[in-house]
Amino acid sequence: MERGHSLSSEPRTTATKEKKSSSELVSVKLIEWEDYEQEVARLWSLSSALKEAREKKEGLEGKLHSLNQVEAESLSRLNVLEEIRERVGARKKMMESLSDRLQGAAEKAKKEEQRLGAEVRSLLVAGTALSVANKQLEESNRLLAGESGFLRHRNLQKMLRLRQQFMISQVSLLYSVKMSPGRSQDQELESLPSTSKSGSYAGSKLVNPGSLTILGLHLTMLPFTKMSFFSNKKEVQRSATALGYVAHAVSLISSYLKVPIRYPVRLGGSHSYIIDPSPSIEPVSSSMGSSSTTSQSNVKPVEFPLFLDGQDTTRAAYAVFLLNKDLEQLLNYIGVKSLGPRHVLANLKELVRTVQSAEFLES
């Protein structure tokens, strides 16, 4: 009886506890004593299942946490990999750019190598030529240093200059140009014809108060453009004679200096002429349609009088101009500047003086 009472009291206590615990969650459920053990077994099974579920939940939560950590780490690694991928892409682009540059530099270097190769070959050829030239120069120096070398050539040249000086001094004695004291007179042309091929000069008058003469004759001509058929015949004749003297002197000096003058002279005393090999002419149109080239090829030299030929003063003025151009050519040959187009006698005197100077021997 006591056992039965104790058994009955224990379930009651347990039931009371269950009621108290479940009263907080659900409404009180009355269980019959016959169903008590079944209910206890069921509750025990449920408790075991709940415990197992909790353990599984905890395991799943741990796995989920680890998975979350793995996912977070994977995301972080993905971000790092994305950054690395971007860096690799940038490096790849840079490498492609560098590769293009290197390819261009390689092509440029190849072209430069070819150019340098050509220059080296040309330098080798030039070096060979220079070596040959040096040998020739040494041979030339050896020949010049000999008895028939430079010194002999220099002595021959000096002898030639002395001979030229002597011959031209004879010309200066034959046609002496002197300064005569007295009132200065216009010695040359005041102006040149506008048809001059070489253009006009702004000549300057002589500074010396005297006037130059050739064999005592003045070139005291008025400008040819002011002369006429009724001018002083003696004055015209003296000027023509003086011009004939100058023309002969120029012809002799040019032959002694071995300088072919540009405008040759046809001597005839006071009726001398000067020749223009290529006169300026206007092309004449032909009805047959001949070309200007044919006309120019048929141009013949024209003679201009160094004297007044009737009333054709322009031709005479142009003749004096050409004579002075011959003097200018000879002066340039010996390295002297012309005094101007109005100074025929002054240029002749300067030519003779320079040839007879000591500097002429050293030139």
Side-chain angles (χ1 to χ4, degrees):
M1 292 295 290
E2 292 177 359
R3 185 179 179 184
H5 179 74
S6 62
L7 290 171
S8 61
S9 61
E10 184 175 346
R12 287 179 183 178
T13 305
T14 306
T16 303
K17 290 181 180 179
E18 290 292 336
K19 288 178 182 179
K20 288 182 181 180
S21 60
S22 61
S23 64
E24 297 175 359
L25 300 173
V26 296
S27 60
V28 178
K29 182 180 179 181
L30 297 177
I31 302 172
E32 295 296 333
W33 176 253
E34 292 80 5
D35 300 329
Y36 174 74
E37 290 183 358
Q38 293 179 357
E39 190 68 23
V40 168
R42 189 179 66 81
L43 290 174
W44 179 259
S45 176
L46 289 174
S47 176
S48 299
L50 180 61
K51 183 179 181 181
E52 185 178 355
R54 285 177 179 174
E55 290 177 355
K56 287 182 179 180
K57 180 181 178 182
E58 290 177 356
L60 289 174
E61 285 180 353
K63 289 181 180 181
L64 182 62
H65 182 68
S66 63
L67 287 175
N68 288 334
Q69 289 181 349
V70 170
E71 185 180 3
E73 186 176 355
S74 298
L75 289 174
S76 135
R77 289 183 178 181
L78 284 175
N79 293 332
V80 173
L81 287 174
E82 188 65 26
E83 292 179 358
I84 292 175
R85 187 180 292 108
E86 291 178 356
R87 292 179 183 176
V88 168
R91 292 286 180 88
K92 185 178 180 181
K93 290 182 179 178
M94 185 175 68
M95 292 299 292
E96 290 177 354
S97 176
L98 288 175
S99 177
D100 294 338
R101 291 183 182 178
L102 286 174
Q103 186 176 1
E107 293 178 356
K108 186 176 180 181
K110 186 176 181 180
K111 292 180 180 179
E112 188 70 16
E113 182 181 2
Q114 293 176 355
R115 186 183 66 82
L116 289 175
E119 289 186 358
V120 167
R121 288 191 294 271
S122 64
L123 285 175
L124 290 175
V125 174
T128 304
L130 181 61
S131 177
V132 173
N134 284 332
K135 291 181 180 179
Q136 292 178 352
L137 181 61
E138 291 176 358
E139 182 67 18
S140 299
N141 290 332
R142 186 181 63 80
L143 293 175
L144 288 175
E147 296 181 355
S148 60
F150 176 75
L151 294 177
R152 182 173 180 274
H153 174 73
R154 187 65 179 173
N155 291 332
L156 290 175
Q157 185 179 10
K158 190 172 183 179
M159 291 175 60
L160 176 62
R161 295 294 189 186
L162 288 171
R163 183 63 178 174
Q164 288 174 337
Q165 278 188 342
F166 174 75
M167 298 298 292
I168 293 174
S169 67
Q170 298 300 310
V171 175
S172 67
L173 292 176
L174 181 63
Y175 297 110
S176 60
V177 179
K178 296 181 179 180
M179 186 75 67
S180 64
R183 185 178 178 181
S184 178
Q185 304 181 33
D186 292 334
Q187 293 177 307
E188 318 294 345
L189 298 176
E190 289 183 358
S191 61
L192 295 175
S194 59
T195 57
S196 169
K197 294 191 300 179
S198 302
S200 60
Y201 292 80
S204 58
K205 293 186 178 180
L206 292 176
V207 178
N208 198 303
S211 59
L212 292 173
T213 61
I214 181 168
L215 289 181
L217 296 177
H218 289 282
L219 280 178
T220 56
M221 297 181 299
L222 294 172
F224 280 141
T225 55
K226 296 181 181 180
M227 301 183 77
S228 67
F229 183 76
F230 301 101
S231 300
N232 189 337
K233 304 301 181 182
K234 291 183 178 181
E235 184 178 356
V236 172
Q237 184 63 33
R238 284 196 296 268
S239 298
T241 304
L243 288 173
Y245 292 160
V246 174
H248 192 200
V250 169
S251 178
L252 290 175
I253 293 173
S254 67
S255 65
Y256 297 152
L257 293 178
K258 302 298 181 181
V259 179
I261 52 179
R262 188 174 293 110
Y263 304 104
V265 176
R266 185 167 69 84
L267 299 174
S270 60
H271 280 67
S272 298
Y273 290 84
I274 193 163
I275 303 170
D276 188 354
S278 57
S280 58
I281 60 172
E282 297 181 358
V284 180
S285 60
S286 173
S287 59
M288 300 298 293
S290 60
S291 63
S292 59
T293 306
T294 306
S295 300
Q296 292 179 0
S297 62
N298 294 330
V299 172
K300 295 181 179 180
V302 178
E303 293 184 350
F304 294 92
L306 286 168
F307 57 92
L308 277 180
D309 187 9
Q311 297 184 10
D312 193 358
T313 58
T314 303
R315 290 172 58 83
Y318 187 62
V320 177
F321 170 74
L322 295 182
L323 180 62
N324 193 71
K325 295 300 290 183
D326 286 339
L327 283 168
E328 181 179 348
Q329 179 187 354
L330 295 174
L331 285 169
N332 292 335
Y333 173 76
I334 60 175
V336 180
K337 188 177 180 181
S338 171
L339 299 175
R342 297 185 182 182
H343 305 297
V344 176
L345 292 182
N347 284 333
L348 179 59
K349 184 176 180 63
E350 181 65 16
L351 175 63
V352 173
R353 185 198 66 79
T354 305
V355 172
Q356 291 180 342
S357 64
E359 289 81 2
F360 179 74
L361 294 177
E362 303 299 329
S363 62

